[in-house]
Amino acid sequence: MIATWLFALHAAALPVEPWDCAGQGGDVIRDETVTLPFARTLRARADRVAVLVVEERGEPLELWLAEDGAPARLLDLPPDGRAFEVVVVDAGGAADVRLQSSGEASEAPLRLRLSCDVPATAPELAALRALQSASTLLARAESDQANSEALRLQAIDALQIASMAAPSEQWPWLRAAALHGSAFLQGRRNQPRKAAEQYGKAARAWLDLGDSQRAAWAQLREAQQWRRVSQFTRALEVIDQAQALAGDSDDVGLQLAVATDECLLRRLTDSAAGARDCWRDLLPLATKHAPPAEVATLMAS
């Protein structure tokens, strides 16, 4: 209730830019860095469904959605900072969308894609709605501990529907996003083997799309799940694949995370000397980009 009240308070105080599909057709795609919090009102045409996709490009965000006077609800899919969030608005309907940082960021780079001409019979709509539903259920499970298991199972069922979507030119990432979300949920359910297997599938799906950055994040999480069940050699094999992908990325956070896990796995599988060599190689990157507390931890290691 507090979060909903805060949403209503801030949304009323912000200039809300209407995005009215009645005045446009086709797809509108924008790459921009927005000031947070950021709000839009999305209105669908009378005879077409509107689909808004918010693609995070490095900054973890929370998406709050309010429809038809109902309390705002949170959508929050993984991977953090690289998620695709979906908002489906039925023909003739409207929704208030608000983005805010999960941390303390004052701005965020985004890709916003608004599709105004989606027929109600479009085959992808079931998968898009399922992904939106799963995002809401996942967020609820994080705050409602008493019902978290049931909510996570419902979210997994919804993501199963989304993962079966046929390849789509407009939304080619649907299956990969659904698999990544399922893997996260299995990890939260304390099912590390299932989570690792799902992360592996997600990584392959991202790679099929040519998205090596999200694939590397999925491989990092896969390796962490194998580590949870003491499959250290297998985890190291996966982290080496992630390291190769991360090295070609401009995502410093990804590079640091993968390298740190690699060093930990070296300590678990090789020797203390091998781990020290790994930490030493990592230190220049960490000193330049990591918080001082993390650098101190690395030096102690």
Side-chain angles (χ1 to χ4, degrees), residues 243-254:
Q243 184 74 278
L245 295 177
D248 294 331
S249 167
D250 59 359
D251 188 338
V252 176
L254 172 62

Side-chain angles (χ1 to χ4, degrees), residues 216-217 220 239 242-244 246 253-263:
W217 278 112
L220 169 63
I239 210 71
Q243 184 74 278
L254 172 62
Q255 294 172 3
L256 279 169
V258 170
T260 300
D261 260 55
E262 181 191 6
C263 293

Side-chain angles (χ1 to χ4, degrees), residues 53-195:
V53 176
V54 178
E55 178 185 346
E56 296 177 350
R57 295 201 154 184
E59 183 62 41
L61 298 173
E62 295 179 351
L63 188 154
W64 289 90
L65 177 64
E67 301 171 282
D68 301 323
R73 63 184 191 274
L74 175 63
L75 282 69
D76 197 13
L77 277 177
D80 278 354
R82 296 290 171 186
F84 289 88
E85 294 291 359
V86 175
V87 176
V88 179
V89 180
D90 288 326
D96 291 326
V97 178
R98 172 188 169 86
L99 300 173
Q100 61 190 44
S101 173
S102 298
E104 299 179 354
S106 59
E107 60 181 24
L110 299 172
R111 169 167 286 186
L112 301 169
R113 179 169 187 155
L114 175 62
S115 303
C116 285
D117 290 332
V118 183
T121 55
E124 302 94 343
L125 270 180
L128 290 164
R129 292 183 193 278
L131 195 68
Q132 178 179 322
S133 174
S135 184
T136 301
L137 289 165
L138 188 155
R140 285 179 57 197
E142 293 301 300
S143 60
D144 184 356
Q145 295 302 310
N147 298 297
S148 60
E149 176 68 4
L151 291 167
R152 286 170 183 148
L153 288 172
Q154 291 176 48
I156 288 171
D157 287 344
L159 289 168
Q160 177 66 19
I161 295 172
S163 70
M164 293 188 294
S168 165
E169 183 177 347
Q170 282 179 296
W171 306 290
W173 41 265
L174 258 172
R175 179 172 181 273
L179 290 169
H180 203 123
S182 293
F184 173 84
L185 285 162
Q186 294 292 6
R188 296 294 287 151
R189 295 186 61 241
N190 200 29
Q191 298 289 330
R193 290 182 180 275
K194 289 182 179 180

Side-chain angles (χ1 to χ4, degrees), residues 224-298:
Q224 290 170 342
Q225 296 301 320
W226 288 126
R227 175 158 53 83
R228 289 179 64 188
V229 291
S230 300
Q231 295 289 316
F232 303 135
T233 300
R234 188 166 185 177
L236 189 57
E237 291 172 356
V238 175
I239 210 71
D240 283 343
Q241 298 172 33
Q243 184 74 278
L245 295 177
D248 294 331
S249 167
D250 59 359
D251 188 338
V252 176
L254 172 62
Q255 294 172 3
L256 279 169
V258 170
T260 300
D261 260 55
E262 181 191 6
C263 293
L264 175 59
L265 287 165
R266 295 286 176 202
R267 186 175 68 187
L268 293 169
T269 57
D270 293 339
S271 65
R276 282 196 300 271
D277 290 343
C278 185
W279 295 126
R280 187 181 60 245
D281 292 341
L282 171 58
L283 192 56
L285 182 67
T287 302
K288 184 176 181 180
H289 296 286
E294 293 184 16
V295 176
T297 300
L298 288 176

